[in-house]
Amino acid sequence: AFFSQRSLTRINIPSSVVEIGPWAFGRCSSLQKVVILNASTTLGEASFYECTSLEEITIPSEMEEIPWYAFYYCTSLRKVVLPPGLVKVAEGAFYGCSSLTEVEFPESLTTLERWAFRATGLTQVYIPAGVTGNLEDGVFRDCNALMEFRVDRDNQHYCSLPPGVLTDSFYALLDHTGSTLIQYPAGRA
């Protein structure tokens, strides 16, 4: 559709659009802002792949899944507000979003696939109770600014121990028993 259109800087996607296809805006390197007006619009795989100037996107409020590599290497993306009913963030969805320093996971989230937030600028991560797996698969690998993990105490698969138990001053990510370290915050290394 608009693949590699370097002149595109902002776009309002009208409410008549129900799906943004795979690679639709991939490599639109000047695209800075996207507003999706239909709350139920879905995204295709790699729909904003390597939009290196993208700073802001309004993710549709009814979206249940952020697809495979949707925002791969959107290096200017700073903050993402995930919709309240989101269930899954697919493989590599935000991989390489080095300016992304904060994200709030909704309580509905159950799945974070491999490399979903790899090489982002996240400084802290809160894992909701419903997240059931894949954190061992490098979801937060190479997040060099990451200082701590916190896990909802009702999560049956993961935990984070308070300062003083495993470390002196921060929370690390462990399995639900607290006996296997899954990830040490890279910003503490």
Side-chain angles (χ1 to χ4, degrees):
F2 292 96
F3 188 81
S4 287
Q5 294 292 318
R6 288 181 173 79
S7 62
L8 192 61
T9 59
R10 296 176 185 266
I11 189 162
N12 287 338
I13 298 174
S15 57
S16 59
V17 174
V18 295
E19 180 181 356
I20 297 170
W23 302 88
F25 295 97
R27 295 197 175 133
C28 289
S29 59
S30 298
L31 185 60
Q32 297 173 356
K33 183 177 181 179
V34 176
V35 176
I36 302 170
L37 298 173
N38 184 336
S40 60
T41 295
T42 60
L43 298 178
E45 294 177 348
S47 46
F48 295 95
Y49 185 96
E50 291 183 357
C51 290
T52 55
S53 297
L54 185 62
E55 297 174 358
E56 184 178 342
I57 183 161
T58 302
I59 295 178
S61 62
E62 295 177 18
M63 185 173 288
E64 293 181 1
E65 177 181 340
I66 307 288
W68 182 88
Y69 293 91
F71 300 99
Y72 177 84
Y73 270 87
C74 290
T75 55
S76 297
L77 192 60
R78 297 193 188 292
K79 183 180 179 188
V80 172
V81 177
L82 299 175
L86 187 73
V87 175
K88 175 181 175 182
V89 180
E91 179 178 325
F94 295 95
Y95 188 135
C97 294
S98 55
S99 296
L100 183 61
T101 58
E102 72 180 273
V103 65
E104 187 173 321
F105 296 128
E107 291 300 319
S108 58
L109 188 67
T110 60
T111 305
L112 289 166
E113 288 189 346
R114 178 172 68 149
W115 305 336
F117 290 89
R118 184 174 181 176
T120 62
L122 293 176
T123 57
Q124 60 184 11
V125 172
Y126 172 77
I127 308 295
V131 173
T132 59
N134 295 328
L135 298 185
E136 301 85 352
D137 244 354
V139 172
F140 302 103
R141 181 179 291 161
D142 301 323
C143 293
N144 296 327
L146 190 56
M147 300 301 276
E148 71 178 28
F149 290 95
R150 291 191 184 239
V151 179
D152 187 288
R153 71 171 145 201
D154 293 328
N155 188 297
Q156 299 296 307
H157 299 273
Y158 301 101
C159 75
S160 54
L161 298 177
V165 177
L166 180 67
T167 68
D168 290 334
S169 61
F170 64 92
Y171 293 80
L173 180 63
L174 297 99
D175 72 344
H176 73 285
T177 66
S179 62
T180 302
L181 178 66
I182 293 171
Q183 188 169 348
Y184 184 87
R188 301 278 183 181

